[in-house]
Amino acid sequence: MRLLIAEDDADLRQVLTELLAQSGYEVDGRGNGREALEALLATPYDLGIIDLGLPGVSGLEIVRALRARGSTVPILIVTARDSLNDRVGGLDAGADDYIVKPFDLPELRARVRALLRRQHAMAGSELRVGPLTLRPGEPRITLGDATIDLPAGEFALLEALAMRAGHVVSRAHIASRLTRSGDPPSDTAIEICVHRLRRRLEPHGLKVRTLRGFGYLLETAADA
Ligand code: CA
């Protein structure tokens, strides 16, 4: 397992690097946002731990740039204590989790383990939501008895929703998943995609609910 830590505080970076190396991870550190982004794009890391306040390119910009280029590397963002906007912004940009400074080292270790476990479980295994079976990264899905090859946009949307079935997925997160070659989709494009997916899913008792101002949620008829 190979991790990248982007943290401009050299002492903290060293402490984190040593701690995670002791846990058996291979750890690289970067103190500059631009270098961190380049490293994350060039090397297949299993996880990035990204401080939001970085010189060069900010942590938020790193996450956006990664997702815009289709990178699915799990990202744990590190934020200062009372910056709720930063946390929400980080998750909306496509980060997977956040941890607030100052944090306990055992908590960091636990978050890292959880994210790696989730990524590992998703890499090869199937997601099941009611009659739907989906493998992350593979647009061929099973719905009831039917096997369907979904168009890229519908698949990206369904994948994002299925990974968090029963929980709301923000519109911004969906937009980041539907972004192709750097251009985010329009609101209309997202709505069309949702509409098409609903038409496929509803006969099978799966619903894509709209939560106005928040996003969308995938649920089975049994949840509704
Ligand atoms: Ca910093």
Side-chain angles (χ1 to χ4, degrees):
M1 292 284 181
R2 192 161 180 196
L3 275 49
L4 181 108
I5 297 178
E7 169 61 66
D8 55 321
D9 178 331
D11 291 341
L12 180 57
R13 187 170 70 239
Q14 181 158 1
V15 168
L16 296 179
T17 302
E18 283 171 10
L19 172 94
L20 291 166
Q22 280 164 19
S23 301
Y25 303 116
E26 199 179 322
V27 190
D28 296 327
R30 294 287 186 282
N32 173 287
R34 195 171 309 281
E35 289 171 14
L37 176 58
E38 279 167 11
L40 283 162
L41 288 170
T43 308
Y45 284 101
D46 296 292
L47 176 73
I49 301 171
I50 313 279
D51 183 30
L52 281 186
L54 289 171
V57 174
S58 79
L60 210 55
E61 287 166 331
I62 292 177
V63 178
R64 283 205 195 100
L66 287 170
R67 297 305 182 237
R69 297 195 195 189
S71 166
T72 56
V73 59
I75 298 291
L76 175 64
I77 54 176
V78 180
T79 77
R81 184 166 278 287
D82 38 11
S83 50
L84 178 67
N85 283 343
D86 283 353
R87 276 180 265 163
V88 173
L91 294 175
D92 277 350
D96 297 272
D97 199 2
Y98 64 85
I99 190 164
V100 178
K101 272 181 184 174
F103 47 80
D104 293 334
L105 296 180
E107 187 190 357
L108 175 72
R109 259 201 303 248
R111 297 287 182 105
V112 166
R113 268 201 309 272
L115 281 176
L116 289 172
R117 207 164 40 224
R118 200 165 91 192
Q119 180 74 357
H120 191 68
M122 281 196 271
S125 69
E126 294 177 342
L127 286 172
R128 286 193 195 167
V129 185
L132 166 72
T133 306
L134 172 151
R135 282 177 184 277
E138 292 176 27
R140 176 163 292 184
I141 64 161
T142 310
L143 200 51
D145 297 330
T147 301
I148 303 166
D149 288 305
L150 284 185
E154 280 179 67
F155 178 72
L157 171 64
L158 181 60
E159 188 184 43
L161 293 171
M163 281 179 180
R164 289 186 50 78
H167 299 276
V168 63
V169 180
S170 76
R171 197 183 180 89
H173 180 71
I174 287 169
S176 77
R177 300 292 294 250
L178 292 178
T179 295
R180 289 288 168 269
S181 48
D183 296 323
S186 66
D187 283 355
T188 311
I190 295 178
E191 274 154 29
I192 290 171
C193 212
V194 169
H195 175 71
R196 290 193 178 140
L197 199 55
R198 274 194 181 125
R199 284 217 319 236
R200 288 186 200 275
L201 299 179
E202 277 177 3
H204 298 272
L206 284 169
K207 285 190 68 174
V208 179
R209 236 169 69 195
T210 304
L211 287 99
R212 294 225 174 274
F214 292 98
Y216 299 95
L217 179 155
L218 176 66
E219 62 186 8
T220 62
D223 298 326

